[in-house]
Each structure stands twice: as C-alpha cells, then as structure tokens.
Amino acid sequence: MDSEYLARAGFVAKILNPANLLTAKKTVEQAKLKPEDDNERALLAARVHPDTGNYIPLPFSLPAIIPANLFIVMGMLQPNQTNKTIAAWQIINQSFNTGVNWANANKSGGEQSPGELVKGYTVSVLASCAMSMGFDRVAVWRESAFLRRMAPLCGVLGANVVNVAVMRGRELTEGIAVVDQRGEQVGVSQVAAQQAITHTIISRNLIAIAL
C-alpha cells in the first residue's frame, strides 16, 4: 500500500512540475499518439484535458499552480494589510482558482454555463474576503501579529472549499464518467465525483499551506 501511494504521489509531482509549461506542443502531440512511460503520461495529464482532448490554457494548467500560488501567497502574507489590499489579493487568488477549476473540471457531462462560472466566482470572492477580513479583525482585537499574517491564508483555505464545491457542483448532482483500465466508460457515479472533489480540495489547501 505504501509503495502504491508513493508511486501515485510521484506521478502527481510529475504532473505539477512547472517544466511541463515549457514543453513544446510537438512533443505533446508525439506523446498523444502513444505514451510510453510515466513522464509522457504525466505530460499529457498536465497539458491535455482527458475528457475533451483539447489543450488546457497554460495559465490554468496544473503545472502553473505552484509558481502562480507562490506569487499570490507571498502577496497575501505581506504585513499590515488594509481591507483594500486584502480584498485585492483575494480577488486575484480566486480569479486564478476559478480559471484552474474551469479548465480542469470533469467535462464528461458537458461544459459549465457562463452563469455557473459567474456564480462560482462571485461566491468564492465574497467568501474569501469575508473570512480574511473577519479573521483580521479578530487578530487586531487579540493584538496578534502572527494571526494577522495568517488571516489571508485562512480566507484562502475556506474559499478553496467554496470555490471548488460551487464550480464543480454539477458533478455532485449528475456524477462523473467512470472508465475501466482500457479507458472505456462503464457508468456514471456521484460517489466518484464526491471523492474527486474532496481530493481536489485537500490537495489545493495542502499546496497553499506548503507555500
């Protein structure tokens, strides 16, 4: 079990490798014909959507998560922020998160409507700003510099839950396609959707905490 977990973790690390952003499309096209090893399969997972076969926009692809979040988290953790700067960084963060969720969401049930995208974005921005500013007020009241530094992070962690849940809410109600080892669809499952969304929330928050 441990070896299987380590193998999966290693594969995910290969997908998240920022170097995948620099790989030429010609190399990706060659891998699409017949991926020969985990490196090529990870490259495909990073650059090509598994349901549509289309290229994922680079700024919202999985390899962009670490460098983008490094920049965003550094901005959010600046000391002595005002409500305006807190709100600005949360808007930037949720704009990026919404793009990532839209670009990488399961599309076996079809694309999200513009209304669903706007709803998810609006709710996540309001939630992140409210949680960050609320926690910041508590930190000021407690006169804790450490808590003030952590206020934006708390907003990010809470908003990640809201953002993913709202942006991918259709998957929870309609389920996602389940395929066998040959890649053939064998059914649609709401349980699989719940597991996928839960794992997404956990992984996004772990990345934010690590950064």
Side-chain angles (χ1 to χ4, degrees), residues 23-32 43-44 47-48 55:
T23 304
K25 278 191 175 182
K26 181 179 179 180
T27 303
V28 181
E29 288 294 331
Q30 292 174 343
K32 287 172 69 175
L43 176 62
L44 289 179
R47 297 286 299 276
V48 180
Y55 280 94

Side-chain angles (χ1 to χ4, degrees), residues 97-117:
N97 286 345
T98 298
V100 171
N101 290 333
W102 164 76
N104 295 278
N106 185 289
K107 301 185 188 299
S108 59
E111 290 276 0
Q112 289 177 306
S113 68
E116 290 174 320
L117 289 173

